[in-house]
Amino acid sequence: MKLNKYWIICSTFLILAISCDDQKNSANGNGGSQNTSVTLFGKKNIVFAKISPEAEMYLNNWTVFSDFTTEAIEINGTDLKSLQTRSELLLSRLDSLTKRIPDTLDTQPIYARILVAKTRAAILHQLSNKTKIDTSLVQESVAEMNTATNNLIVQINEKFQKDGIDRQRTDNEEQELELRKKKADSIFKAELKDKKSKQ
């Protein structure tokens, strides 16, 4: 009788242990997958680098850039379903961006940053549309997309900053030449006056 009770208690504990282990595995068994319907991806109040006033003047005429940054912000703080839609729109905006770069902004560094952002958007779109979603990989991909967007803005700002420095240098050189010319003219006039006074 005691052996029977012992057997029942052991069996009960064994069944409970297996049941708990199964529940634990089903919750964690998808290699980083979680309940994607309640998971929000990215940073809800993401803020990218501020666009410099010099750059803003040109970017206001490049309307597709504004569309791109809007979508880059909107992928943050969204659930999976929204992210799937937004990542597709983001990819579409970047396609347009690569085809419509204004001459002023068509430099190798800026083009390279756009290509990196386009690659990041394609990876994000692919990861968010997989049959089995790995939320940690999707989160990482959103973070990389944010970095790529920020780097593109910084590169655009740096381009206009460099242009400003080059313009200032050119202006300074022109002023220096003008001063030298005036100095040479005044020396020539003084010598000419001196010669006339000696005659």
Side-chain angles (χ1 to χ4, degrees):
M1 188 74 175
K2 281 185 180 179
L3 190 59
N4 254 353
K5 279 185 181 177
Y6 179 74
W7 177 249
I8 290 168
I9 290 169
C10 283
S11 298
T12 305
F13 277 122
L14 186 62
I15 290 166
L16 280 171
I18 290 169
S19 173
C20 288
D21 195 47
D22 283 348
Q23 285 177 353
K24 188 178 175 184
N25 286 341
S26 67
N28 301 327
N30 290 331
S33 293
Q34 298 165 7
N35 186 350
T36 54
S37 62
V38 294
T39 302
L40 295 181
F41 297 93
K43 295 179 181 177
K44 189 160 179 60
N45 298 311
I46 186 79
V47 177
F48 294 121
K50 194 174 183 338
I51 295 167
S52 69
E54 297 82 9
E56 196 168 8
M57 188 173 69
Y58 284 89
L59 294 177
N60 285 340
N61 297 323
W62 194 19
T63 53
V64 71
F65 185 83
S66 175
D67 295 339
F68 155 68
T69 51
T70 299
E71 293 306 332
I73 290 167
E74 292 297 325
I75 64 167
N76 288 275
T78 59
D79 60 14
L80 182 65
K81 194 169 181 179
S82 295
L83 186 62
Q84 288 167 340
T85 307
R86 290 288 180 190
S87 63
E88 189 172 353
L89 280 167
L90 183 63
L91 197 51
S92 170
R93 301 298 188 216
L94 280 157
D95 276 339
S96 299
L97 210 63
T98 53
K99 292 170 188 169
R100 299 184 207 160
I101 304 174
D103 291 341
T104 310
L105 297 165
D106 197 2
T107 66
Q108 192 58 44
I110 289 173
Y111 187 71
R113 294 293 185 192
I114 292 171
L115 287 184
V116 169
K118 190 176 175 183
T119 303
R120 293 298 180 202
I123 291 169
L124 175 60
H125 182 61
Q126 186 181 16
L127 287 172
S128 62
N129 283 280
K130 279 191 166 186
T131 312
K132 283 189 177 181
I133 301 295
D134 186 329
T135 54
S136 61
L137 281 180
V138 176
Q139 287 285 20
E140 189 180 325
S141 187
V142 172
E144 286 172 348
M145 186 66 234
N146 289 338
T147 301
T149 302
N150 204 65
N151 288 344
L152 173 56
I153 293 168
V154 168
Q155 188 63 59
I156 290 169
N157 285 340
E158 284 178 1
K159 191 257 188 249
F160 284 99
Q161 185 182 15
K162 183 182 178 297
D163 286 356
I165 291 167
D166 290 346
R167 269 196 306 275
Q168 187 63 51
R169 188 180 293 126
T170 302
D171 289 347
N172 290 345
E173 285 170 0
E174 284 174 0
Q175 284 173 8
E176 182 67 28
L177 284 170
E178 189 63 32
L179 283 170
R180 284 181 188 176
K181 186 175 178 294
K182 282 180 181 176
K183 193 174 180 181
D185 284 349
S186 66
I187 290 168
F188 177 73
K189 282 177 184 174
E191 286 176 352
L192 194 64
K193 190 179 179 183
D194 192 46
K195 278 181 184 176
K196 280 183 180 178
S197 66
K198 285 178 181 177
Q199 284 175 354

